[in-house]
């Protein structure tokens, strides 16, 4: 309860609701000393108190939403299964996911209570809030609670969700609205303060037009107030949060410089009749915010939402008029019948029509145990089929944004801190301490020599040494590099991957589907003549696999019929086993299919076939290697350790040596676990490893590597474990991408060096106590502009030199 006395003709006491802050008519509704405006607010308080969640009230003052006009709603309609299916985004029978719009969300207390819902309902596993979009994402146990109970809970505490059954009508709010306002205000103030400062610049220290100068100076103060208190607020907030955790991040010296600029400017104008540094202040903040916007926009543009659509997966097999064909994933609509093979990703919510579904939802829930589905059940996007091919009928459009969420899942984010960020924060810590010591030393010295110069020296040191290069060079350089890579069909998750790419000194390549072209193989069967039934058995078996060799065999058997598969199993790196109409079919490596010693002298890949344990022969597959492979190996082999890992046999070792030479390490018959162990061994020997695979069986190795890149052309698979996707058409430029990443890092370091030289020269004059405010006001914006121009022009110059643009 709060009692606020208002001074009027009579003194009266205003009663404030402890929950929502509205005025209470009297104190009849209360709990102990806490007064409430209505029984609704009291009920919410009691719910929170019973669950030990009254910290809600300590974060913000009167954070609750008034319950005066709230009526108890009936949510029984949320027990209807058909209706629930329209709201639920995902469910595997154990864990369900749902997203609600919460327009009542307004402060940090709202965020706190909404992310602690699991304490109010044990069936809720976790909840996450997007404050800017006013959304809450809830994961809950389908066995312990339901949608009806969750919505009733939200309503009971004053956060009634907006139930919208049509995803296409969801209102989108720009996350950048506030940032745009800050940039607009800073830019407007910067331009006008510069304009109003022209009399000061042109007078060059003379005392002409003193009245005009003073009027303009005070107008400049008014223009700078929203810049200081609004536009620069994020830097002060970030600094404060860092200092509370005993961390001096990059924003600490920036905030310190901004504060000193503002205080020194006020002192100059009010007490010294000077011009101050307000144009410097506005210019610095304007360029810092532009850098932040540029970086965020670059992330969003290349956030696997635009050019990445064809990679999640790139295509899908549909069944039409009893024939199978493939179409781009973006053309998949509601009502299409799609075929999903073993280990393929399900691109959209669908209903199982035919086959035995064994769905791995590990990308969605983290649970690796597959879930069995029967005909008629819904299978959600993001699951993988583990077993024989199934047929589904789509019930939703493909949601690329949902697949993007899977890609960016925390489960696949590597723990290592980006070195470029670590370097900047480390520099900022020592930088801040050093500048403070230099400033204090200068102030103490001049205090005894010439006290009038002591304050000037101290503030000038802090102003001139503002670390604009640290704050501006990284986002502008890395953002531009990310943009240029994207234009050349090399898509990285974030700018941190560029820095990791620049540090690699060991490159590991998968063979099949990575350095070989898919769909470009010459396939020939060698052995006993196959009957029509045997051809159908083989075609039906390989149809269930998404391995490139299986696809090559499937495309060879054009006229054979497809038969239903009773059993299917695929062992990565070995082969596949199926049971069809009582026949056991094995297709794969020689050792997998037969114990007999079969001679392998031809320089090609052989895929053996046995039916009922009798070897019928093999498919002779001559791989076609990607164009430019020899040049890539030659260029990258100079400074990097190159290795080849393959799940296939050694039949093409001699041919590979033509590309790689005899001194490169080549390991065959490698399981996914073997690949991961090899990457780990390289890292234990101090190597920074780049792993390039096709995403089929390489997820563990891609995630374990320092940076993992997935090659993609017509492979219908999606692996979020990698750091980026390289279009197969851009494979020949791999060495150029790596060299350009190294060049980008050197541009940042060069900008640091240039800024350090500038700071040293500026500090020399600042310490002397004679640095003119006018000169500093001109030099500081020029320094920021110089950093932006240098990094941007340098990146574009080297991009043109390497013919990226």
């Amino acid at each position: 309860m709060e009692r606020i006395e208002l001074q009027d003709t009579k003194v009266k006491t205003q009663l404030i609701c402890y929950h929502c802050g509205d005025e209470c008519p009297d104190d009849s509704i209360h709990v102990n000393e806490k007064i409430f405006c209505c029984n609704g607010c009291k009920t919410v308080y009691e719910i929170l108190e019973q669950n030990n969640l009254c910290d809600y009230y300590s974060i913000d003052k009167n954070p609750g939403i008034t319950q005066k006009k709230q009526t108890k709603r009936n949510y029984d309609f949320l027990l209807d299964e058909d209706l629930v299916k329209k709201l639920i985004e995902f469910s595997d029978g154990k864990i369900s996911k749902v997203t609600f719009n919460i327009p009542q969300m307004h402060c940090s207390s709202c965020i706190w209570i909404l992310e602690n819902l699991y304490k109010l309902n044990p069936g809720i596993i976790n909840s996450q809030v997007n404050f800017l979009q006013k959304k809450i994402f809830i994961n809950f146990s389908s066995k312990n609670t339901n949608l009806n109970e969750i919505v009733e809970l939200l309503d009971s505490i004053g956060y009634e969700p907006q139930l919208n059954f049509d995803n296409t009508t969801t209102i989108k709010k720009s996350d950048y609205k506030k940032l745009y306002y800050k940039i607009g205000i800073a830019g407007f103030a910067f331009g006008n303060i510069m304009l109003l400062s022209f009399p000061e610049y042109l007078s060059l220290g003379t005392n002409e037009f003193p009245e005009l100068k003073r009027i303009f100076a005070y107008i400049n103060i008014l223009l700078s107030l929203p810049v200081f208190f609004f536009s620069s607020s994020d830097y002060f907030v970030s600094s404060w949060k860092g200092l509370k955790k005993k961390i001096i991040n990059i924003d600490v010296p920036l905030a310190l410089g901004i504060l000193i600029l503002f205080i020194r400017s006020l002192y100059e104008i009010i007490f010294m009749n000077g011009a101050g540094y307000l144009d410097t202040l506005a210019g610095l903040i304007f360029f810092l915010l532009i850098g932040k916007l540029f970086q965020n926009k670059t992330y969003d543009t290349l956030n696997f939402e635009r050019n990445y659509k064809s990679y999640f997966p790139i295509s899908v097999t549909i069944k039409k008029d009893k024939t199978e064909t493939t179409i781009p994933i973006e053309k998949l609509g509601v009502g299409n019948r799609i075929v999903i093979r073993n280990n393929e990703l399900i691109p959209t919510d669908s209903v199982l029509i035919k086959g035995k579904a064994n769905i791995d939802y590990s990308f969605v829930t983290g649970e690796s145990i597959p879930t069995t589905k029967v005909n008629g059940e819904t299978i959600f996007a993001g699951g993988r089929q583990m077993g024989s091919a199934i047929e589904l009928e789509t019930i939703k459009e493909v949601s690329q944004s949902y697949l993007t969420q899977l890609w960016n899942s925390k489960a696949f984010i590597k723990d290592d801190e980006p070195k470029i960020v670590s370097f900047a924060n480390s520099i900022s810590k020592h930088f801040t301490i050093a500048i403070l010591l230099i400033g204090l030393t200068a102030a103490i010295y001049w205090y005894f020599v010439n006290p009038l110069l002591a304050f000037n020296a101290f503030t000038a040191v802090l102003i001139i040494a503002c670390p604009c290069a640290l704050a501006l060079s990284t986002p502008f350089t890395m953002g531009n590099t990310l943009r240029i890579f994207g234009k050349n069909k090399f898509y990285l998750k974030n700018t941190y991957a560029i820095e990791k790419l620049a540090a690699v000194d060991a490159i590991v390549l998968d063979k099949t589907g990575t350095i070989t072209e898919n769909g470009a193989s010459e396939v020939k069967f060698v052995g006993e003549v196959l009957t029509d039934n045997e051809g159908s058995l083989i075609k039906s078996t390989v149809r269930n696999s998404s391995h490139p060799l299986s696809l090559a065999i499937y495309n060879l058997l054009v006229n054979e019929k497809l038969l239903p598969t009773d059993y299917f199993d695929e062992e990565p790196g070995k082969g596949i086993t199926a049971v069809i109409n009582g026949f056991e079919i094995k297709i794969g490596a020689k050792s997998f299919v037969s114990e007999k010693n079969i001679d392998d002298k031809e320089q090609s890949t052989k895929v053996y076939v046995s039916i009922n344990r009798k070897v019928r022969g093999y498919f002779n597959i001559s791989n076609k290697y990607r164009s430019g492979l020899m040049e890539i190996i030659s260029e990258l082999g100079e400074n990097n350790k190159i290795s080849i890992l393959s799940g296939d046999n050694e039949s093409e070792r001699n041919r590979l040596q033509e590309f790689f030479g005899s001194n490169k390490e080549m390991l065959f018959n490698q399981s996914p676990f073997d690949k991961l162990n090899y990457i780990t061994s390289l890292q234990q020997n101090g190597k920074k490893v780049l792993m390039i695979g096709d995403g089929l069986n390489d997820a563990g190795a891609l995630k374990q590597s320092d940076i993992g890149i997935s090659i993609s052309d017509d492979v219908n698979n999606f692996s979020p474990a990698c750091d980026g996707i390289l279009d197969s058409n851009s494979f020949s430029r791999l060495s150029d991408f790596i060299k350009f990443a190294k060049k980008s890092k050197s541009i940042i370091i060069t900008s640091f060096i240039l800024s350090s030289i500038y700071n040293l020269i500026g500090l020399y004059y600042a310490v002397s106590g004679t640095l003119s405010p006018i000169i500093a006001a001109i030099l500081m914006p020029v320094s920021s502009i110089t950093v932006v121009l240098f990094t941007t022009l340098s990146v574009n110059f080297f991009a043109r030199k390497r013919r990226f643009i």
Side-chain angles (χ1 to χ4, degrees), residues 194-260:
M194 289 284 286
L195 182 65
L196 293 173
S197 299
F198 271 175
E200 185 70 31
Y201 300 149
L202 297 177
S203 66
L204 298 176
T206 63
N207 200 27
E208 297 180 11
F209 314 110
E211 297 83 6
L212 187 62
K213 291 180 184 179
R214 192 155 186 79
I215 292 172
F216 285 173
Y218 278 102
I219 295 175
N220 286 344
I221 291 178
L222 294 176
L223 288 170
S224 69
L225 292 178
V227 177
F228 178 76
F229 288 104
F230 177 64
S231 296
S232 67
S233 59
D234 287 345
Y235 298 102
F236 290 101
V237 171
S238 175
S239 300
W240 176 245
K241 288 180 178 178
L243 291 173
K244 283 200 300 184
K245 295 180 180 179
K246 298 181 180 180
I247 298 173
I248 299 179
N249 56 33
I250 185 63
D251 289 331
V252 172
L254 285 172
L256 190 59
I258 292 169
L259 180 64
I260 294 300

Side-chain angles (χ1 to χ4, degrees), residues 669-689:
N669 299 309
Q670 297 289 293
S671 68
F673 188 71
D674 293 332
K675 294 178 181 179
L676 189 151
N677 284 341
Y678 181 78
I679 299 290
T680 303
S681 66
L682 288 176
Q683 292 172 328
Q684 289 174 346
N685 290 324
K687 294 292 185 181
K688 301 296 181 184
V689 183

Side-chain angles (χ1 to χ4, degrees), residues 10 50 62 173 178 186 383:
K10 294 183 179 179
Q50 289 170 7
N62 311 120
K173 296 183 178 179
K178 193 173 182 180

Side-chain angles (χ1 to χ4, degrees), residues 390-409:
I390 57 176
E391 294 182 15
L392 309 170
E393 184 172 314
T394 59
I395 58 175
K396 282 186 180 181
E397 299 284 347
V398 175
S399 173
Q400 297 298 334
S401 60
Y402 179 67
L403 294 176
T404 300
Q405 290 177 24
L406 298 183
W407 176 271
N408 293 319
S409 170

Side-chain angles (χ1 to χ4, degrees), residues 264-297:
R264 172 70 184 270
S265 298
L266 294 181
Y267 175 79
E268 289 274 349
I269 294 171
I270 297 173
F271 298 107
M272 304 293 291
N273 295 326
Y277 302 81
L278 296 177
D279 46 358
T280 301
L281 173 71
L284 175 63
I285 294 171
F286 176 70
F287 285 112
L288 287 172
L289 294 174
I290 287 290
K292 179 185 289 187
L293 177 66
F294 181 82
Q295 178 175 274
N296 292 344
K297 280 289 187 180

Side-chain angles (χ1 to χ4, degrees), residues 584-733:
E584 182 189 63
I585 304 97
K586 280 193 169 188
I587 302 176
K590 174 182 60 177
S591 58
F592 178 76
V593 170
S594 173
E595 297 293 334
K596 295 181 181 179
N597 185 21
I598 303 173
D599 192 19
D600 280 339
K601 292 183 179 179
E602 294 186 43
Q603 300 306 310
S604 60
T605 297
K606 294 182 176 66
V607 180
Y608 287 86
V609 178
S610 71
I611 300 176
N612 286 339
R613 300 185 181 181
K614 180 182 178 182
V615 177
R616 305 293 294 160
Y618 60 86
F619 287 94
N620 191 73
I621 302 176
S622 300
N623 288 315
K624 181 180 179 181
Y625 290 89
R626 297 194 187 275
S627 60
L629 178 60
M630 189 167 291
E631 291 78 6
I632 291 174
I633 300 305
S634 176
E635 292 179 14
L636 295 179
E638 295 177 3
N639 302 309
N640 301 281
K641 175 181 173 62
I642 306 289
S643 306
I644 293 290
L645 301 182
S646 175
D648 299 329
N649 57 43
E650 300 188 20
S651 60
E652 295 202 10
R653 177 184 286 275
N654 292 338
R655 192 175 177 196
L656 283 170
Q657 287 179 348
E658 296 176 7
F659 292 95
F660 293 87
S662 57
N663 59 336
K664 298 294 189 294
E665 191 167 9
M666 300 181 189
L667 300 177
F668 299 91
N669 299 309
Q670 297 289 293
S671 68
F673 188 71
D674 293 332
K675 294 178 181 179
L676 189 151
N677 284 341
Y678 181 78
I679 299 290
T680 303
S681 66
L682 288 176
Q683 292 172 328
Q684 289 174 346
N685 290 324
K687 294 292 185 181
K688 301 296 181 184
V689 183
L690 164 63
M691 170 68 187
I692 305 177
D694 63 357
L696 291 173
N697 302 314
D698 305 324
L702 288 169
K703 185 181 179 184
Q704 177 62 37
S705 62
D706 295 279
I707 176 168
I709 303 299
S710 180
I711 296 287
S712 184
D713 42 17
D714 61 352
V715 180
N716 302 329
N717 287 74
F718 160 65
S719 176
C722 61
D723 298 288
I725 296 174
L726 176 62
D727 190 288
S728 59
N729 294 324
S730 297
F731 177 76
S732 60
R733 307 209 65 185

Side-chain angles (χ1 to χ4, degrees), residues 62 89 110 114 314 344 565 676:
N62 311 120
E89 295 175 344
C110 300
L114 290 172
I314 189 171
E344 285 187 351
T565 305
L676 189 151

